[in-house]
Amino acid sequence: MTRYIPLIVFGVLLNAFAQITLKQGMRVIGAFSFSFENILPILIKVSVNPFILAGLACYAVSVIVWLMVLSRVEVSFAYPLLSIGYIVTAFAGYLFFNENMGYVRWTGVLIICLGVYLITKTG
């Protein structure tokens, strides 16, 4: 199973990149409220935003990669490795968006890293 870790990590990184690009797209669009009169203007903004489109494309490819993973690896091994995405997006949010990463969040990231390590050792 561990020989498929590169494929799993590739899918996870695509998913994390999707999150980062979607976040950037929404930074460009800005906050919006859910209301009937807002549906069309927001839909137009979202549908032409290159960051949103890139994020959605990454999601589509990551689903294909994930289907490949699930056809080869036990789900009880593969699915917990999705938590690598939490680690990557936490670092990316900190680096690219100057998001707050206090002591408690860093501790959580370290615990996730330990969990990923333990899962890969059982495969």
Side-chain angles (χ1 to χ4, degrees), residues 36-66:
F36 184 73
E37 51 275 344
N38 241 5
I39 293 173
L40 190 57
I42 293 301
L43 186 59
I44 291 169
K45 286 180 182 180
V46 165
S47 65
V48 299
N49 184 289
F51 293 105
I52 300 291
L53 296 175
L56 294 175
C58 286
Y59 267 139
V61 174
S62 76
V63 167
I64 293 167
V65 170
W66 193 247

Side-chain angles (χ1 to χ4, degrees), residues 42-106:
I42 293 301
L43 186 59
I44 291 169
K45 286 180 182 180
V46 165
S47 65
V48 299
N49 184 289
F51 293 105
I52 300 291
L53 296 175
L56 294 175
C58 286
Y59 267 139
V61 174
S62 76
V63 167
I64 293 167
V65 170
W66 193 247
L67 292 174
M68 291 172 60
V69 167
L70 291 178
S71 73
R72 292 165 172 81
V73 178
E74 295 174 358
V75 71
S76 61
F77 175 79
Y79 190 73
L81 293 178
L82 288 176
S83 61
I84 295 169
Y86 301 141
I87 299 164
V88 173
T89 54
F91 280 112
Y94 175 75
L95 292 174
F96 299 123
F97 305 127
N98 201 28
E99 294 181 354
N100 180 33
M101 284 293 291
Y103 172 75
V104 174
R105 285 190 191 174
W106 285 118

